[in-house]
Amino acid sequence: MEPYVLPEKQTAVVLTGTNNQYEIRHDVPVPNDPGFQEVIVKVMAIAICGTDPKLLKGKPYHYCPDEYPFIIGHEWAGVVVKVGSGVFNLQVGDRVAGEAHRGCGVCENCKAGRYSLCLNYGKDETGHRHYGFTTTGAYQQYIRYSCGSLTKLPDNVSFEEAAMCDTAGVAFHGLERAGVKPGGTYCVIGPGPIGFMAMKIARALGAAHVICVGRGARLQAAVDLGACDKDMAINFEEQDPVEEVLRLTNGVGADNVCEASGAHNSMTQAIDMVRKGGSIAMLGTPPEGTMEPIPIKKVTFKELTLCGSRGNPNATVAVVNLMATGQLKVKEMITHTYPLTRFADGIDTFVNRKEGCVKVVFFPNEIPEEYAKSGRVHP
């Protein structure tokens, strides 16, 4: 195979400061020097994560870059075009999905497989990487990446579907932490992208019934996409969520609850609507400094398990397998697609939930043929 000839310059979305200061630049140097156990990947699809608009705003968001210019973006997929020394799991031409976290591999948490909780977070000299947060991200045409943070894709999983692996992986990790009772009832508070994934994956992992608490277009989308039971969509503006969950479960409560909204008072509701001995996965990201009183006596007497969850460690292979076998359908969640040069329009659509937006995907390089022919990419 002829070696891939990398261009010298590329197009990228470059943050230049806080308060949504960014530029679409066409003169960003292309990385051409993969280090030990690193590869260069051509980015074929990248999705907007809910943290991206917060990163664009910058301080006081706790993940904002320490210095500018900076490139964010961490929900992506592409093809390997150059391989560095010490790489034995990938080769040029491999289709891959990226994962944001790479732990140092040495601390106790990393050795226990909990590398999203690396004790050397943010210390580049230890080998830690959090792509798109502390390390250069993927809103660009080419990226240098650790081979340990990439997962090979089967041919029947498209790049745009694979760009959803991060969202799916975050939901999968939360469900893995809190558990899903086969044949039981799973309830999700907050039908955003992660909430949608949690519902879909809960069903794939054996939940018999899925309840969704939300409102408006997102709640309707949960029904339309088959993520929750048609008669188990609860509009919290019209119904009391706790009372309705208890009614739907004959007064027992849901076996497992996923709090995916980060909204005020939602944790208290989750505690009230979960059954005795049940579990709650906390996937929502509330505003910095949010405090909420917890009814400790209820947690104690109901013997509840409350599970915090961060990132998607060791989840990508599982969600790719679910996608490849048709058990997790994610393409229907991709409501809008743009070339990367239309970044501003994509962000506006995502943040303001225009036209029933659920998930936005950008194509930094070639437009996939099925999208180009069908006109499904916003020009």
Side-chain angles (χ1 to χ4, degrees), residues 60-262:
Y61 190 60
H62 65 287
Y63 278 137
C64 67
D66 289 330
E67 58 184 29
Y68 298 92
F70 190 79
I71 298 173
I72 62 172
H74 60 279
E75 299 190 0
W76 68 279
V79 58
V80 176
V81 294
K82 191 170 185 178
V83 175
S85 63
V87 176
F88 55 85
N89 63 325
L90 297 171
Q91 60 185 2
V92 172
D94 282 345
R95 303 168 69 253
V96 293
E99 183 179 335
H101 286 275
R102 177 187 184 272
C104 71
V106 177
C107 74
E108 292 183 10
N109 281 355
C110 283
K111 288 192 287 187
R114 305 186 75 180
Y115 53 88
S116 60
L117 302 177
C118 179
L119 298 178
N120 287 308
Y121 182 90
K123 300 177 182 178
D124 282 2
E125 66 274 14
T126 68
H128 175 273
R129 301 288 185 271
H130 193 186
Y131 293 100
F133 294 87
T134 65
T135 307
T136 299
Y139 280 122
Q140 54 185 328
Q141 292 179 292
Y142 296 89
I143 188 170
R144 179 170 49 232
Y145 228 74
S146 166
C147 66
S149 298
L150 297 168
T151 299
K152 286 185 185 180
L153 297 172
D155 291 340
N156 67 335
V157 175
S158 67
F159 289 120
E160 60 272 21
E161 289 172 307
M164 307 282 278
C165 281
D166 187 277
T167 305
V170 168
F172 184 92
H173 180 55
L175 271 65
E176 199 172 36
R177 294 265 296 143
V180 176
K181 182 179 179 180
T185 300
Y186 195 84
C187 178
V188 171
I189 302 173
I194 289 178
F196 281 124
M197 288 295 191
M199 288 182 264
K200 287 172 170 285
I201 294 172
R203 188 87 76 183
L205 296 182
H209 300 290
V210 177
I211 300 172
C212 180
V213 178
R215 64 177 175 179
R218 287 282 177 90
L219 181 62
Q220 185 59 48
V223 175
D224 294 342
L225 296 176
C228 75
D229 293 37
K230 184 171 63 173
D231 56 351
M232 291 188 172
I234 301 172
N235 186 333
F236 66 79
E237 292 183 329
E238 300 174 356
Q239 302 164 292
D240 182 290
V242 174
E243 290 182 0
E244 195 62 15
V245 170
L246 293 176
R247 184 188 69 81
L248 291 168
T249 58
N250 296 317
V252 175
D255 296 288
N256 315 100
V257 176
C258 170
E259 198 303 292
S261 71

Side-chain angles (χ1 to χ4, degrees), residues 24 79 120 127 137 150 191 277 285 299 316 328 338 355:
I24 306 296
V79 58
N120 287 308
L150 297 168
T285 304
V299 175
T316 306
L328 177 60
Y338 296 87
E355 302 169 352

